[in-house]
Amino acid sequence: PLATVLSFALVAASIASAQAVPAELSALTTKARLPSPVVGWCRGEFRAGRPGEYAVAVSSVTGGRYLVVQSDATVVELASYARSAELSCYTPAEARKLHVSIGQSDTIHGQIVPQWGTMVVCAFVDDTTSVCWQYSPADRRFVRVGGWVT
């Protein structure tokens, strides 16, 4: 089960990376003046009532950054990554299923505990470590809600 869930997550990230950047995201990145190319993305409602936001990976020579581009072109940095980008967006229900699968694994350790009804962003910050964030309305920022190590 875990291999299936993680394979799904990696396939979803690969598909988003391989897909052309949608016109809406391209317009947002231009408006936000992102200097780096988008090498991965997923769309979600990260803040309640605000659809049309994107989690993106932008590349640089030594790695890159994971960002959330909000519908008004405001950019929030989540983390940097070391080599290659892998990011996925999950509904809270999908994140909870992934949490259960991680708990059943002998080789993957971690947890994902969504706190709100909005999308969760998970991304690999290095070759073996994935970190997950969710927007906290009370803190008015993205907070870590889990992750895993492979």
Side-chain angles (χ1 to χ4, degrees):
L2 178 62
T4 302
V5 172
L6 290 179
S7 293
F8 173 76
L10 294 176
V11 167
S14 298
I15 290 170
S17 296
Q19 290 177 339
V21 173
E24 180 184 29
L25 176 55
S26 182
L28 281 173
T29 60
T30 298
K31 186 176 177 183
R33 297 185 178 147
L34 291 185
S36 304
V38 172
V39 296
W41 58 272
C42 53
R43 185 178 178 170
E45 184 175 325
F46 304 110
R47 297 177 297 156
R50 305 230 179 144
E53 298 181 331
Y54 291 85
V56 300
V58 294
S59 69
S60 67
V61 175
T62 59
R65 298 178 298 150
Y66 294 115
L67 311 168
V68 172
V69 183
Q70 298 173 343
S71 54
D72 63 358
T74 299
V75 176
V76 177
E77 184 166 346
L78 297 175
S80 58
Y81 61 88
R83 294 181 201 196
S84 61
E86 287 186 37
L87 87 148
S88 298
C89 296
Y90 301 101
T91 65
E94 291 168 336
R96 284 189 284 277
K97 285 181 185 176
L98 185 54
H99 170 79
V100 170
S101 295
I102 290 168
Q104 296 170 344
S105 173
D106 293 331
T107 58
I108 298 174
H109 306 285
Q111 64 179 4
I112 306 170
V113 185
Q115 302 294 309
W116 303 277
T118 53
M119 298 292 284
V120 175
V121 179
C122 296
F124 277 87
V125 294
D126 62 36
D127 292 340
T128 61
T129 307
S130 181
V131 177
C132 300
W133 301 269
Q134 196 174 30
Y135 185 78
S136 165
D139 296 328
R140 294 185 177 172
R141 63 183 179 92
F142 285 85
V143 297
R144 187 175 176 162
V145 293
W148 65 89
V149 177
T150 58

